[in-house]
Amino acid sequence: RFVLINLEGKTPKQLGDPDSSKLELADRWILSRYNLAIAQTRDYLNKYGFGEAAKGLYEFIWGDFFYWYIELVKPRLNGDDATAKKTAQQVLAYVLDGILKLLHPFMPHVTEELWHGLHQEDKDTLLALQPYPESDPKAIDAGLGEQFTLIFGAVRTIRNLRAEAEIKPSAKVPIVLASETNEEQKILQSAEAYICNLAKVEKLEVRGPKVAIADTKSTKKISQKSPSKPSEEFEFDESKQQTTVVLLATVFVLIMAFKAVGAVLDVVDDFILLPQLFELVGFAWSVWFAANNLLFAEDRKTLAENLKQTTEDAIGSWNPLELAASSDPLQLPVADAVPLELPLDMQSAELQPEAASIDIDAERSMTGVVGTTQVLMPLDGVVDMAALREKVQRKLGKVEKQVASLSGRLGNAKFVDNAPAEVVQAVRDELAEVETQGQLLRDRLEQLQ
């Protein structure tokens, strides 16, 4: 569906085959993976390895084409460069056509229907009669696979660091990638636009293995302060605009909801005993809600935290101003990214050193590793460290209470001796899991000190 929408009614025949001279790095990678998938599928089928063939196709289609490549080409499909957009459309149509042919022996009816929708052919032309795809050995580039393993590994590591620091999905962060080899540095620099788009990176710097770490003594006083913020004037204007739009939308939704509820209640009043039944259900739910969320202080605190987090997530992940500025009201905006134009031979590309401008404080950063590349994410100006430490501390407190409760049950000889063995084992498994969570939270809290 995504491909058909973005082909804008054109068929693979109308778009034509991709021009090799206009392919970007991501295009050459997916075409290499596609031809490798063809070769592997044919080899498995010739050996009657139907299960292995299906598994290989599943991994290529979901893992490479859908999960990664579609995300990589979204900026071009939504950009202003007509040539880059057409090339992306050609590759999407070409690979999807091949996927349907490769899958046809496994899923004949669905692929036949989808293939007709893609090619807009009449019913007399059948996918079942089309030649099975053949691999082009010249299009298979093992080096590209290794390069994208590094690129995707960097993206995953950045995403994991963002999740650990509980950074909102809409927020962009600065990232430093420190690699031990010039080859890896070239790959990462060449894929800068991809990494920034996929991992929500505001600024990316690729450095050598000796990363310049700021003197922690000179920055100790700064580290005790709240994260830096934009100017008060800018922050006030943006917040005011967002609040106005959200408030207007909320008022409109509430008015419509009240009208709908009023209309339903008018109809309900006409039925015998139905109003009383609704009142009884409402009363029962109110009692249940109060008993589970308001009776104890800890429950009330948890409810307040959940409401606050839900509100923050809702406002932080939906920017009405950005949506309104989109040229297409039916599509969400895509993060800005510059189309990547690379030489065919990446090994011959010269590494362009860039002046380091992101200061790294070892005590105020989160670090991950992919291969021989170190991924560093500064937290100053990105995360409210005090609030994050408090949140982690609260989670650790809840986990420690669970550990104490489960340990108490297991320390009760009556429970261990009289309860069914599977119940006791389930409690032990739960205790081990909770203890692991507690250790992870303690490690995380220590990192945030």
Side-chain angles (χ1 to χ4, degrees):
R1 187 180 298 276
F2 174 86
V3 174
L4 291 178
I5 290 174
N6 283 279
L7 293 185
E8 299 174 335
K10 297 178 182 178
T11 65
K13 185 177 181 180
Q14 293 170 336
L15 288 168
D17 290 338
D19 185 348
S20 59
S21 63
K22 298 178 181 178
L23 297 176
E24 291 191 5
L25 182 64
D27 302 328
R28 293 191 287 116
W29 168 73
I30 196 63
L31 290 174
S32 173
R33 292 290 298 119
Y34 167 63
N35 281 277
L36 182 61
I38 294 174
Q40 292 175 340
T41 303
R42 279 183 163 272
D43 182 60
Y44 281 130
L45 292 179
N46 289 333
K47 297 176 181 178
Y48 298 96
F50 304 119
E52 292 85 351
K55 183 175 182 294
L57 285 176
Y58 178 91
E59 292 173 350
F60 165 69
I61 295 168
W62 282 106
D64 297 329
F65 187 62
F66 290 166
Y67 187 84
W68 287 115
Y69 183 70
I70 280 180
E71 294 300 320
L72 289 169
V73 299
K74 280 182 179 179
R76 283 191 282 164
L77 295 173
N78 293 277
D80 298 326
D81 190 333
T83 301
K85 180 177 180 179
K86 183 177 180 181
T87 301
Q89 290 176 325
Q90 289 174 330
V91 176
L92 284 171
Y94 178 79
V95 177
L96 179 59
D97 174 63
I99 284 174
L100 295 175
K101 292 176 180 177
L102 288 170
L103 273 180
H104 188 66
F106 303 90
M107 305 169 63
H109 304 294
V110 170
T111 51
E112 187 77 54
E113 180 71 18
L114 294 177
W115 186 82
H116 277 272
L118 176 64
H119 287 270
Q120 302 174 24
E121 296 282 358
D122 56 44
K123 294 183 179 180
D124 295 332
T125 305
L126 298 176
L127 170 59
L129 300 179
Q130 304 304 310
Y132 205 64
E134 293 188 9
S135 177
D136 179 8
K138 296 180 180 179
I140 301 176
D141 188 338
L144 275 176
E146 295 175 0
Q147 292 169 20
F148 271 85
T149 297
L150 174 62
I151 294 168
F152 295 152
V155 171
R156 288 193 186 96
T157 303
I158 296 171
R159 288 175 174 175
N160 290 339
L161 293 179
R162 290 173 59 100
E164 289 179 16
E166 298 189 11
I167 297 174
K168 295 180 180 179
S170 59
K172 292 189 176 182
V173 297
I175 292 292
V176 173
L177 301 177
S179 175
E180 295 182 356
T181 67
N182 287 336
E183 182 179 358
E184 285 189 353
Q185 293 175 42
K186 292 177 185 178
I187 294 170
L188 295 170
Q189 282 190 341
S190 299
E192 179 179 351
Y194 294 153
I195 297 173
C196 289
N197 180 55
L198 293 174
K200 295 286 186 182
V201 174
E202 180 180 25
K203 182 171 183 179
L204 179 71
E205 287 187 9
V206 180
R207 306 182 187 176
K210 295 182 180 180
V211 180
I213 303 294
D215 184 3
T216 57
K217 293 183 180 179
S218 62
T219 59
K220 188 173 183 180
K221 293 183 179 180
I222 298 177
S223 67
Q224 303 301 323
K225 298 180 180 180
S226 300
S228 59
K229 295 182 179 180
S231 65
E232 293 296 329
E233 180 181 358
F234 174 80
E235 186 179 12
F236 172 78
D237 290 342
E238 182 179 352
S239 175
K240 183 178 180 181
Q241 290 175 340
Q242 288 185 350
T243 303
T244 302
V245 175
V246 173
L247 180 60
L248 290 175
T250 303
V251 170
F252 175 76
V253 172
L254 288 175
I255 291 174
M256 297 303 295
F258 280 126
K259 286 184 175 293
V261 171
V264 172
L265 292 177
D266 289 341
V267 175
V268 168
D269 285 337
D270 295 335
F271 291 89
I272 300 175
L273 296 181
L274 199 54
Q276 291 79 2
L277 179 61
F278 271 88
E279 291 178 1
L280 183 60
V281 171
F283 177 74
W285 183 86
S286 300
V287 172
W288 175 86
F289 182 84
N292 286 273
N293 297 277
L294 304 176
L295 193 58
F296 299 103
E298 185 65 27
D299 293 334
R300 292 194 296 271
K301 186 176 180 181
T302 302
L303 177 62
E305 291 175 358
N306 291 338
L307 289 174
K308 180 181 178 182
Q309 185 63 40
T310 301
T311 304
E312 291 177 355
D313 292 343
I315 296 177
S317 61
W318 175 55
N319 189 336
L321 300 178
E322 187 177 15
L323 181 60
S326 175
S327 58
D328 184 355
L330 297 180
Q331 293 191 12
L332 292 175
V334 181
D336 294 335
V338 179
L340 195 62
E341 297 181 1
L342 298 168
L344 292 178
D345 184 8
M346 281 190 59
Q347 305 304 325
S348 63
E350 295 184 1
L351 180 63
Q352 299 295 332
E354 186 175 328
S357 60
I358 299 180
D359 293 330
I360 301 295
D361 181 348
E363 296 182 358
R364 304 282 295 175
S365 303
M366 297 191 71
T367 306
V369 177
V370 51
T372 61
T373 299
Q374 189 179 17
V375 182
L376 301 104
M377 184 177 71
L379 296 179
D380 279 323
V382 177
V383 176
D384 186 338
M385 297 292 291
L388 182 57
R389 281 195 297 268
E390 183 181 354
K391 192 169 186 178
V392 175
Q393 186 66 58
R394 286 200 303 268
K395 289 183 178 179
L396 180 59
K398 292 180 181 179
V399 169
E400 288 176 343
K401 287 182 179 179
Q402 287 182 277
V403 171
S405 175
L406 294 171
S407 299
R409 293 181 66 184
L410 292 175
N412 186 341
K414 291 183 178 180
F415 169 74
V416 175
D417 295 338
N418 299 326
E422 59 271 16
V423 173
V424 176
Q425 185 58 44
V427 174
R428 287 175 177 152
D429 294 341
E430 185 178 358
L431 176 61
E433 182 179 350
V434 173
E435 286 177 337
T436 301
Q437 294 176 3
Q439 187 58 49
L440 291 174
L441 288 171
R442 279 187 285 272
D443 294 341
R444 188 172 169 192
L445 192 60
E446 183 179 352
Q447 190 178 23
L448 295 174
Q449 296 298 335

